[in-house]
Amino acid sequence: LVDEPSSVRTNVFQDIALAHREIYALYEIAQAMGSSLGVSDTMALISSKLSNIVPFSCCALFLYNDESETLRCRFATGIDAEVIQQVSVKSGLGLTGWVARNRRTLVNARPSADLEAAGISATTSLQSALVCPLVFNERFIGTLSVYHIDAGCYTDDHRRLLDRVCEQAAAVIYNSIVFEQTQEDSLTDPLTSLPNRRSMFAHLARELVRAERL
């Protein structure tokens, strides 16, 4: 490196720093596998780590329902997150539906295509999207999407990075889905689907704490 021009040395050091951030982000996401977190908490963690290696103005998670063959947004953060959260599309429709059907990552796609497929009339300032499939044990569970307000923002290197993140994130997100389902099952009567006695005591405990505080 001593004989190289300063610009070359700077690029090398930047590449090393990026690789370090990438490895550390993947490590921290993998560490979350042992945590008992719901989907929203898990995605808050993943999106915070992802922001260190892939730029985005908005990040969203879409989960797939096998019975209805639809993908519904379960988490969104950033610019126009409230619009993205309304999106629910059939497999094969829009960006998310295309990725669900083809199991391939879309790079620099038009975010408004999902709004149109979902029948949402709202507009968005997001101009480019990078949408990656989430697959756990050969089972498709959803997509992880990042959006940017700049058109053509994403490169093939960004796709590679998001693909690597999704390899780790799929297992973590699947665990969070199972955790939420287990919690729901423990508080619901299997025959009537109504809250059970355990749910009543949990609700009562929360209300007693609130009453004492107020």
Side-chain angles (χ1 to χ4, degrees), residues 63 160 173:
L63 293 182
R160 179 188 63 81
I173 292 168

Side-chain angles (χ1 to χ4, degrees), residues 21 24-26 28-29 32 40-54 56 59 75 77 144 146 165:
R21 290 199 302 272
Y24 190 65
L26 291 171
E28 290 189 307
I29 291 171
S40 294
D41 290 335
T42 296
M43 276 306 302
L45 171 66
I46 290 174
S47 60
S48 69
K49 305 309 175 188
L50 181 59
S51 65
N52 294 325
I53 54 177
V54 178
F56 63 80
C59 176
F75 174 90
T77 182
L144 181 60
V146 290
V165 167

Side-chain angles (χ1 to χ4, degrees), residues 40-113:
S40 294
D41 290 335
T42 296
M43 276 306 302
L45 171 66
I46 290 174
S47 60
S48 69
K49 305 309 175 188
L50 181 59
S51 65
N52 294 325
I53 54 177
V54 178
F56 63 80
S57 304
C58 179
C59 176
L61 168 70
F62 294 84
L63 293 182
Y64 182 65
N65 184 298
D66 291 304
E67 294 180 2
S68 61
E69 296 187 340
T70 59
L71 295 107
R72 182 172 68 87
C73 182
R74 277 293 309 274
F75 174 90
T77 182
I79 294 175
D80 290 346
E82 67 284 354
V83 176
I84 301 297
Q85 284 174 340
Q86 302 173 40
V87 173
S88 178
V89 295
K90 282 279 189 180
S91 177
L93 300 180
L95 312 181
T96 306
W98 187 93
V99 171
R101 176 163 292 179
N102 295 279
R103 307 291 197 272
R104 289 169 53 197
T105 302
L106 269 178
V107 183
N108 285 329
R110 185 171 54 91
S112 57

Side-chain angles (χ1 to χ4, degrees), residues 102-165:
N102 295 279
R103 307 291 197 272
R104 289 169 53 197
T105 302
L106 269 178
V107 183
N108 285 329
R110 185 171 54 91
S112 57
D114 266 347
L115 302 184
E116 294 164 6
I120 298 172
S121 58
T123 58
T124 177
S125 57
L126 302 169
Q127 297 297 312
S128 55
L130 180 59
V131 186
C132 186
L134 291 164
V135 180
F136 178 70
N137 285 347
E138 299 185 357
R139 175 187 173 186
F140 176 75
I141 62 172
T143 65
L144 181 60
S145 305
V146 290
Y147 309 90
H148 207 281
I149 56 174
D150 295 334
C153 172
Y154 295 109
T155 65
D156 195 56
D157 201 40
H158 290 136
R159 178 199 57 76
R160 179 188 63 81
L161 288 168
L162 190 62
D163 281 343
R164 289 197 61 188
V165 167

